[in-house]
Amino acid sequence: METPEGLLARLAALGIAARTVSHPPVFTVAESKALRPDLPGGHVKNLFLRPEKAAGPYLLASIEEDRPVKVNALVRALGLPRSVFAEPEALRAQLGVEPGSVTPFGLVNAAPGAVRAVFDRQLFQEHAWINIHPLTNTMTTAIRPEDLLRFLRALGHAPELLEMPNPA
């Protein structure tokens, strides 16, 4: 499994600009909002899901932190079967992170095709920088959205941008 330091070195090797700050552990959007003076840009919440009954890839959805989302509406919009939150063991095995540290950077540990990565299109269009954990919830890394997509593609993943479904 990759380390935060190894991840940041991979970004640098690709010429990707990133700014990382350390902070106390944060487990919720509310806790992370206390850090805002030091972290300008868009902020995300991440959902890591698995199909409820069918075989298939896991789903990692990265969404603007304040956007309401209903899991069932999201998976329907993606044409997927009913999904549920993945167990901590699956999170560790697929993304190499602990609960509270879910991040698209965890795809560095996932085999291509094992996890479908979906991003909130509006988040990517409205912010020059987005803030995500670099495999630990004691750090936050700001990265340009297009650089995040480039990094994930370089790993063999096929990230998707999605208009998030209306939660009503």
Side-chain angles (χ1 to χ4, degrees):
M1 294 292 165
E2 187 60 85
T3 64
E5 296 75 21
L7 170 72
L8 297 174
R10 285 179 186 233
L11 294 174
L14 289 172
I16 294 175
R19 299 183 308 253
T20 301
V21 297
S22 296
H23 50 71
V26 292
F27 295 92
T28 66
V29 168
E31 289 175 351
S32 71
K33 284 185 175 186
L35 303 174
R36 284 309 164 345
D38 297 327
L39 301 172
H43 296 267
V44 301
K45 60 184 170 190
N46 297 285
L47 308 176
F48 188 60
L49 308 170
R50 68 166 175 79
E52 188 174 55
K53 295 179 183 176
Y58 287 86
L59 174 66
L60 174 63
S62 296
I63 304 160
E64 194 279 324
E65 68 179 356
D66 290 324
R67 181 182 305 284
V69 64
K70 291 194 177 189
V71 171
N72 289 335
L74 174 63
V75 297
R76 274 194 309 274
L78 292 167
L80 299 174
R82 184 171 164 84
S83 296
V84 296
F85 287 95
E87 298 79 9
E89 297 77 23
L91 180 60
R92 290 181 196 105
Q94 294 296 320
L95 300 181
V97 298
E98 294 296 319
S101 297
V102 178
T103 172
F105 280 142
L107 292 167
V108 71
N109 294 314
V115 178
R116 183 176 176 185
V118 178
F119 295 92
D120 181 344
R121 181 183 305 276
Q122 188 174 338
L123 173 74
F124 275 48
Q125 292 172 339
E126 292 180 357
H127 298 284
W129 295 88
I130 56 171
N131 294 281
I132 55 180
H133 294 309
L135 307 176
T136 176
N137 66 355
T138 62
M139 301 166 77
T140 298
T141 296
I143 186 171
R144 293 188 185 280
E146 62 272 10
D147 284 338
L148 175 60
L149 296 177
R150 182 166 61 97
F151 177 68
L152 297 177
R153 289 180 184 125
L155 295 172
H157 298 285
E160 304 169 49
L161 297 180
L162 176 72
E163 292 294 334
M164 290 292 133
N166 185 335

